[in-house]
Amino acid sequence: MKEYEQLFTDSIREELKSFAEYRTSYKEIWTLRNILSVLHWDSEITLPEDGRAERGDQIGFLSGLIHSKYAGEKFYVLAEKAREENEKKNLPGQEERRVELEILFKDLNRSRCLSQDLVEEFSVTTSKAHAVWAKARKENQFADFAPILTKIVELCKKQTESYGYETEAYDALLEGYEPGERASNLENLFFNLKNSLKPLVARGKNFNNPFPKEIPILFQKKLGENLPSILGLSSKISRLDPSEHPFSTSLGRKDKRITTRYDLKDPLSSIFSILHETGHALYEAGISEIVGGPSPLHDSVSLGIHESQSRLWENQVGRSREFWEMYYPIFLNSLELKESDLSFSKLFSYINQSSSSLIRVEADQITYNLHIILRFEIERALINGQVQVSELPELWNSKMKDLLGIEVPSDREGVLQDVHWSGGAFGYFPTYTLGNIYSAQLFQAFSKQTPNFPEQVLKKKDFSSLLEWLKKNVHWKGKFFSAEDLIRTATSADPDSSHLVAYLENKLTELESIDHG
């Protein structure tokens, strides 16, 4: 990996003493963040139930410690000295170091807006909220989750006041996930996308679950455990576990964790969760290959770009005909099914069906974005003070009826279905649709340059050309470019939702041509 090769070599290190000191301190903070990620991962995967209260205190303490080190005066002064030194000494990599420090100070100034007390209270509250949400969801009791969600919303509002904003409070939270993006821009983008999707939604077809029987979890685990390595994520640097809500996290350069959940009646639920989370992990693994880290440049540019990687592997790859013609024999063998039990045409049609559904993570490619628009509109109104937590179930159900034409039978399948709000992740949901837009545009650019990719998948089970293209054009760029500039550089075009619409139109045409038997 040659990106940023001249950024901070040993010879330059000798010349830039202050920069070296800043980098040493940054590495310490980076290490502490990875340790915090381990605590969060363990909280969702292996932590005994009675240990949650103490773990919340541990997470709160460590979060406060990291914040004090990162946003404290000592580190700020080190970074200022590094910036001054870099400007004075015209050494190779000067521009890259300038960009690195520019990115650092933008984030640093944002972090310094928050008091340590607010950071600790937010961390402790959201750590405890996950268990409350999981229990409330299981028992279908939104009222049990509402009090702690109300506190989280209050803390998020305090954050917005600390950060400051020009137009609306929601923008201050959106900035943390998608730098430079604004709610008013998303409102226009989503309105236009919704209008483009309407005729496609009408063309969608629904197919019944084709599985002749329940599939034991043991069989599903056997099937899914090898899928990440097929795509290019080595088992030597990754781990797959079950969780209430699938997620991916990086605990270090060579430690990428992914999770999935299993459905006895539909093993595809697990498969597509694995495809999605593997996409995230591949991106993190690619970033870890950039030389000269850790640094602020050794990070993802935005959640929209991060999501583009997971959605690309989940949809453009994972729902393609060539993928399933390759994977179909493996699929049947692992689940102990015969072709007479489950024909390829029925399976492929079911995979690419399109119809309105209750659950976001199980929604098809066309209607998925309507789920995101619903969440964006609700959380924007919530943070801007236009609705209260107590109104969420009714508002959710009303919007589901309006956008998707569905009556919501329970809060478990409605307002309680997502984990994000329990973690205070307001502003996160819009990045999913941005990721869909970016993924379609990236894959189209790759396909033009690599027209024989379908043949590589079918004959060799080889995804390396795609992975290497993504590494070169996305992963190894780190945070050096903005999201828009990254897409523009990789595809030679501005970000444009028309690529997503065209891709979805082609999928519908493909589905319509199949004999569904």
Side-chain angles (χ1 to χ4, degrees):
M1 230 305 293
K2 300 299 182 183
E3 297 289 333
Y4 317 136
E5 188 172 31
Q6 297 298 315
L7 184 63
F8 199 43
T9 62
D10 289 340
S11 60
I12 294 174
R13 187 185 301 271
E14 291 298 317
E15 293 286 331
L16 298 176
K17 301 290 188 182
S18 294
F19 193 89
E21 191 174 358
Y22 137 73
R23 273 291 196 88
T24 298
S25 185
Y26 185 89
K27 185 176 181 180
E28 179 183 286
I29 295 167
W30 177 81
T31 300
L32 289 172
R33 286 172 173 169
N34 283 337
I35 295 171
L36 180 60
S37 294
V38 174
L39 292 181
H40 278 296
W41 176 87
D42 179 68
S43 295
E44 298 199 31
I45 304 302
T46 61
L47 182 69
E49 187 61 33
D50 287 352
R52 292 199 175 277
E54 186 177 12
R55 176 57 53 83
D57 292 338
Q58 293 167 351
I59 287 174
F61 171 78
L62 187 54
S63 297
L65 177 63
I66 293 169
H67 180 74
S68 66
K69 285 182 172 294
Y70 183 64
E73 193 65 23
K74 181 179 179 180
F75 182 68
Y76 197 86
V77 170
L78 285 177
E80 282 187 321
K81 289 181 178 179
R83 181 165 58 181
E84 293 172 2
E85 182 182 60
N86 185 58
E87 292 300 319
K88 290 179 180 179
K89 297 186 177 182
N90 185 19
L91 296 171
Q94 183 183 41
E95 176 61 17
E96 288 83 353
R97 290 189 295 275
R98 185 194 66 77
V99 173
E100 171 185 330
L101 290 164
E102 182 179 287
I103 290 170
L104 171 71
F105 274 103
K106 184 177 180 179
D107 185 67
L108 202 53
N109 290 331
R110 179 178 167 87
S111 295
R112 284 164 65 89
C113 291
L114 302 182
S115 69
Q116 185 169 340
D117 287 343
L118 180 56
V119 170
E120 289 187 12
E121 185 178 9
F122 182 81
S123 183
V124 170
T125 303
T126 53
S127 177
K128 294 177 180 177
H130 180 271
V132 179
W133 162 79
K135 185 174 184 291
R137 179 175 180 268
K138 182 179 181 181
E139 298 177 356
N140 191 34
Q141 293 291 336
F142 178 78
D144 292 346
F145 180 52
I148 198 165
L149 179 59
T150 299
K151 184 175 182 180
I152 291 171
V153 171
E154 291 172 353
L155 291 173
C156 285
K157 288 180 178 179
K158 287 182 180 180
Q159 289 179 344
T160 67
E161 295 305 316
S162 297
Y163 290 137
Y165 52 88
E166 294 181 359
T167 306
E168 59 182 273
Y170 186 71
D171 285 343
L173 301 181
L174 184 61
E175 178 70 21
Y177 301 104
E178 203 65 28
E181 192 58 84
R182 296 294 178 263
S184 58
N185 294 333
L186 290 177
E187 182 180 13
N188 293 331
L189 175 65
F190 291 172
F191 177 80
N192 293 332
L193 182 59
K194 180 167 59 175
N195 287 339
S196 297
L197 292 177
K198 282 181 179 179
L200 302 187
V201 172
R203 284 173 58 188
K205 294 184 179 180
N206 184 35
F207 297 94
N208 293 328
N209 186 320
F211 295 95
K213 58 185 178 181
E214 290 189 347
I215 307 298
I217 301 302
L218 181 63
F219 292 178
Q220 295 189 45
K221 287 183 176 180
K222 176 184 175 183
L223 172 65
E225 65 186 7
N226 294 322
L227 184 53
S229 60
I230 291 176
L231 302 182
L233 181 65
S234 171
S235 59
K236 292 182 178 180
I237 66 166
S238 65
R239 177 185 171 94
L240 173 65
D241 290 278
S243 67
E244 179 74 18
H245 190 99
F247 69 95
S248 171
T249 188
S250 177
L251 307 185
R253 285 194 186 95
K254 296 185 181 297
D255 188 354
K256 314 302 176 185
R257 308 294 177 94
I258 61 176
T259 73
T260 190
R261 64 182 176 198
Y262 299 99
D263 183 342
L264 287 170
K265 296 181 179 179
D266 189 352
L268 290 172
S269 176
S270 172
I271 290 301
F272 281 100
S273 292
I274 293 173
L275 284 164
H276 183 97
E277 303 306 338
T278 296
H280 282 305
L282 286 170
Y283 183 29
E284 290 288 343
I287 291 172
S288 295
E289 293 176 3
I290 303 173
V291 299
S295 83
L297 285 177
H298 295 70
D299 202 352
S300 63
V301 61
S302 77
L303 266 294
I305 293 296
H306 220 308
E307 191 63 20
S308 77
Q309 302 306 286
S310 60
R311 296 298 276 180
L312 188 152
W313 287 99
E314 177 189 357
N315 291 331
Q316 277 75 17
V317 173
R319 298 185 192 274
S320 67
R321 176 179 284 274
E322 55 267 21
F323 176 85
W324 279 99
E325 286 182 353
M326 175 275 295
Y327 200 57
Y328 181 59
I330 301 172
F331 188 80
L332 293 181
N333 182 62
S334 296
L335 302 186
E336 296 191 2
L337 295 172
K338 298 177 182 179
E339 190 170 350
S340 58
D341 296 324
L342 180 62
S343 69
F344 179 84
S345 62
K346 285 186 177 181
L347 176 63
F348 189 68
S349 297
Y350 182 66
I351 287 168
N352 285 286
Q353 68 175 328
S354 176
S355 63
S356 298
S357 60
L358 285 166
I359 309 301
R360 173 186 63 86
V361 295
E362 296 173 2
D364 62 83
Q365 299 180 82
I366 296 174
T367 60
Y368 183 90
N369 294 300
L370 299 178
H371 286 267
I372 298 305
I373 291 171
L374 178 148
R375 287 154 175 78
F376 163 68
E377 291 176 349
I378 289 177
E379 67 179 25
R380 183 188 186 189
L382 188 62
I383 296 301
N384 289 343
Q386 296 162 340
V387 300
Q388 303 301 314
V389 167
S390 60
E391 301 174 80
L392 292 186
E394 183 179 353
L395 180 60
W396 182 287
N397 296 350
S398 174
K399 285 185 175 293
M400 281 292 290
K401 180 67 174 177
D402 179 54
L403 288 170
L404 292 158
I406 294 179
E407 298 282 354
V408 180
S410 70
D411 289 341
R412 180 191 298 111
E413 297 166 291
V415 70
L416 284 172
Q417 67 178 266
D418 294 302
V419 70
H420 300 62
W421 290 345
S422 73
F426 292 95
Y428 192 121
F429 277 120
T431 67
Y432 287 124
T433 287
L434 289 174
N436 287 334
I437 292 170
Y438 296 154
S439 68
Q441 188 162 342
L442 287 167
F443 193 75
Q444 184 184 68
F446 162 75
S447 298
K448 286 181 178 179
Q449 296 177 28
T450 318
N452 63 334
F453 177 65
E455 183 179 353
Q456 294 172 2
V457 172
L458 281 173
K459 293 185 177 181
K460 301 180 180 179
K461 299 183 179 66
D462 183 7
F463 297 88
S464 60
S465 61
L466 173 58
L467 182 55
E468 291 305 312
W469 189 90
L470 290 172
K471 285 182 178 181
K472 179 180 179 181
N473 290 281
V474 180
H475 304 180
W476 291 346
K477 301 300 182 184
K479 207 171 183 177
F480 192 81
F481 296 102
S482 69
E484 286 193 1
D485 285 343
L486 183 65
I487 297 298
R488 192 176 294 116
T489 301
T491 69
S492 301
D494 292 336
D496 187 347
S497 64
S498 66
H499 303 283
L500 173 60
V501 175
Y503 161 74
L504 294 173
E505 287 178 332
N506 289 336
K507 291 300 295 183
L508 280 173
T509 300
E510 179 184 42
L511 190 61
E512 290 164 350
S513 69
I514 295 174
D515 179 5
H516 301 117

